[in-house]
Amino acid sequence: MSDFTTARPFPHEQVERWDAETDVAIVGFGAAGACAAIEAAQAGAAVMLFEAASGSGGASALSGGEIYLGGGGGTGAQRAAGFEDSTEALETYLTMAGGPDADAAKIALYARESLAHYQWLKDQGIPYKGSFLPGKIIEPAEDDTLIWSGSEAAWPFSEAATPAPRGHTIQFMGWGGGRKLVDILEARVRALGVDVRCDARVLSLIADAGARITGLVVRIDGTPQYIRARGGVILATGGFCMNQDMLRRYAPQTLRLSEPIGENDNGSGILMGMGAGGDAIHMDEFFTTCPWIMPESLVKGIFVNERGQRFINEDCYHGRVSRTMLDQPGDRVFLLVDNAIFARPLDLARIEIAAVGDSWEEVERELGLPEATLAPTVHTFNRYAAEGHDPVFHKAPEWLKVLDEGPFAALELDIRTSFFSFFTLGGLNTRPSGEVLDRTGRVVPGLYAAGRATSGLPRWGHGYSSGLSLADCTFFGRMAGRNAASAGLP
């Protein structure tokens, strides 16, 4: 096995035999790989799909099954709830959420095609009830469809784009609808005749003398097999949140977090792509959250860091707030609440009560903060909240509450001990077509990628919204499958 490595492709000229040939070879059987396979098969291509585990899944199956959709006047669920979403608003929001290097081409294409993609998902058999669930939640507790899943209604996003809820969740009772979503996509993959090989670990890409990717080396039943791919190879292997070496190298801030979200997100596809000349970008970016917004009343509290300073408008998406916590000095932040809004956070979150007092000065002393640090922060907030606005961080009026009903408490979120889940957002640089690009911006011929193996729509931890990963992997998985199929067909 020492001849095979993710660090460089195996030479095409050294392949003594081809154990199988296909038009499109796909690595990874999560939602990205499944959608790539469906699109390629529907285009008439022969497709082989390889999965290292014993069945489909990946991070997609661990998700809530929520997909970020809208624009074009709104989906049926949006319109029924009274929201008329526009393509321009969706594109503007995605551009802001994508951060300083948002992918304008991918965003524009997705915004234009979002409604058609929604219909495509339904055509595959994915059910949507169509009901709207207002408020701030993480996932619907029952089988509702539409939720506010990002920072759409919070500053600064709300100033630039008309707010609309865009999280569309598969009809499923309780949390964790991602498994059902992948099962439905898997059934469609198999119905289309895709040759699915599980317990098949890809050891290496294969490249010819011109650096074109021509196939894969795959270990099946302990034996390496050589698979020729006439149209190309699609990497849909997920991110690298479960590879400690890659985290240390590329995203060291994540080493403070203890709850990776992934199944086998070891970065193998990214490493193979890099070995073939692909450029990996934004590898330091990641999503993280601590589920502090349940119960919802806590959103009316305010966060301060270990210096007693407020640092964000708390009505933003919980992941944006949580990601900003990691930018603060030290490992702890405090959610300040009064008796009127206090409630015990989810046990899962591992949030502790750090101090209680009859005045904010007493809470300040209990936390061991210097005099006149935390208390003035609260008094300033209260002064403006009483006037119905927040000129410092622009928290929306509906979430403003004067914190003046004692006793008062500081809830502690400790980055190293509280529940901060995370996954990576960096990966291979690709065109909207799924083609992998090298460092000069040229295509690596024969190589495609989709999902968290790429740097796609969600590429900035401070702008992430729930549903963006599944939106990215399902839609751009389709694009990769379609284009790889066209390259492999006569």
Side-chain angles (χ1 to χ4, degrees):
M1 299 297 176
S2 59
D3 292 335
F4 310 117
T5 172
T6 59
R8 64 185 185 279
F10 187 81
H12 178 102
E13 295 74 17
Q14 293 183 23
V15 177
E16 296 180 355
R17 70 183 189 286
W18 294 105
D19 296 289
E21 294 196 24
T22 189
D23 294 320
V24 178
I26 300 171
V27 188
F29 201 0
C35 290
I38 292 169
E39 196 76 37
Q42 287 180 327
V47 183
M48 296 185 73
L49 193 160
F50 301 94
E51 169 56 51
S54 297
S56 66
S60 303
L62 301 175
S63 74
E66 181 183 339
I67 300 179
Y68 201 85
L69 297 154
T75 65
Q78 286 178 310
R79 294 193 305 272
F83 297 97
E84 185 177 341
D85 198 9
S86 72
T87 300
E88 294 74 20
L90 173 59
E91 185 172 351
T92 297
Y93 180 81
L94 289 176
T95 300
M96 294 180 70
D101 188 40
D103 192 317
K106 287 181 181 176
I107 288 169
L109 178 62
Y110 187 76
R112 289 196 307 270
E113 298 293 327
S114 183
L115 291 189
H117 184 51
Y118 188 36
Q119 185 59 51
W120 184 90
L121 292 164
K122 291 188 285 188
D123 290 345
Q124 309 316 306
I126 297 172
Y128 292 97
K129 182 179 178 181
S131 54
F132 171 53
L133 190 62
K136 284 189 173 293
I137 58 174
I138 295 174
E139 290 180 32
E142 298 188 350
D143 60 351
D144 297 292
T145 297
L146 184 64
I147 66 170
W148 292 97
S149 66
S151 297
E152 301 87 359
W155 183 89
F157 304 91
S158 58
E159 282 192 353
T162 302
R166 301 191 182 102
H168 288 68
T169 306
I170 187 172
Q171 187 169 2
F172 179 80
M173 291 298 292
W175 287 16
R179 179 69 260 177
K180 180 178 178 180
L181 183 143
V182 173
D183 287 344
I184 292 170
L185 294 174
E186 176 179 3
R188 185 73 177 130
V189 167
R190 294 185 182 276
L192 288 167
V194 173
D195 186 352
V196 177
R197 308 285 182 95
C198 293
D199 297 308
R201 182 171 295 279
V202 173
L203 303 176
S204 176
L205 295 168
I206 298 173
D208 65 17
R212 179 179 185 83
I213 302 304
T214 60
L216 297 167
V217 184
V218 187
R219 185 174 62 211
I220 300 176
D221 295 329
T223 303
Q225 297 191 15
Y226 299 84
I227 312 298
R228 185 166 190 172
R230 291 179 287 269
V233 170
I234 302 174
L235 300 172
T237 51
F240 60 96
C241 67
M242 307 186 87
N243 184 323
Q244 286 292 302
D245 180 63
M246 290 183 72
L247 292 177
R248 281 193 296 270
R249 185 176 304 172
Y250 299 114
Q253 279 209 71
T254 63
L255 299 175
R256 303 165 67 191
L257 311 172
S258 59
E259 307 291 341
I261 302 176
E263 187 174 74
N264 190 28
D265 287 45
N266 59 12
S268 60
I270 298 173
L271 293 174
M272 281 190 280
M274 293 170 69
D279 187 21
I281 61 173
H282 302 301
M283 294 288 281
D284 59 331
E285 287 291 345
F286 60 95
F287 160 89
T288 187
T289 194
C290 181
W292 63 271
I293 65 167
M294 299 178 69
E296 187 179 273
S297 65
L298 296 178
V299 179
K300 295 182 178 180
I302 61 172
F303 273 109
V304 297
N305 59 28
E306 289 185 350
R307 296 173 181 171
Q309 301 163 329
R310 193 165 167 234
F311 53 87
I312 198 169
N313 46 322
E314 298 81 7
D315 58 336
C316 284
Y317 171 67
H318 54 87
R320 176 176 169 85
V321 177
S322 298
R323 177 64 187 85
T324 306
M325 293 177 191
L326 270 69
D327 299 332
Q328 306 309 306
D331 290 327
R332 300 179 303 160
V333 298
F334 304 104
L335 178 58
L336 307 181
V337 297
D338 70 2
N339 191 54
I341 62 172
F342 171 78
R344 293 291 299 187
L346 285 176
D347 289 340
L348 169 71
R350 302 198 292 268
I351 296 173
E352 304 296 334
I353 299 175
V356 176
D358 291 324
S359 68
W360 287 113
E361 286 77 10
E362 185 177 349
V363 171
E364 180 182 85
R365 290 193 297 273
E366 286 288 318
L367 291 175
L369 298 182
E371 184 179 353
T373 53
L374 178 146
T377 295
V378 180
H379 297 324
T380 298
F381 171 81
N382 281 346
R383 170 192 164 190
Y384 289 115
E387 298 172 0
H389 66 134
D390 174 22
V392 181
F393 287 101
H394 310 284
K395 192 173 187 174
E398 66 182 290
W399 298 106
L400 291 177
K401 159 73 170 72
V402 179
L403 304 177
D404 60 356
E405 301 180 46
F408 308 105
L411 305 179
E412 179 181 301
L413 284 68
D414 189 310
I415 291 163
R416 295 190 182 274
T417 60
S418 298
F419 183 93
F420 279 83
S421 58
F422 76 98
F423 51 77
T424 55
L425 297 175
L428 297 169
N429 190 17
T430 57
R431 286 180 172 174
S433 61
E435 296 166 292
V436 174
L437 301 174
D438 67 16
R439 289 186 179 181
T440 68
R442 295 190 179 97
V443 167
V444 178
L447 186 61
Y448 302 79
R452 286 201 190 133
T454 73
S455 178
L457 291 179
R459 56 171 58 190
W460 188 46
H462 296 80
Y464 191 85
S465 299
S466 288
L468 277 183
S469 286
L470 282 178
D472 181 72
C473 74
T474 56
F475 182 77
F476 290 104
R478 292 177 57 205
M479 299 302 103
R482 180 186 301 174
N483 287 284
S486 66
L489 293 172

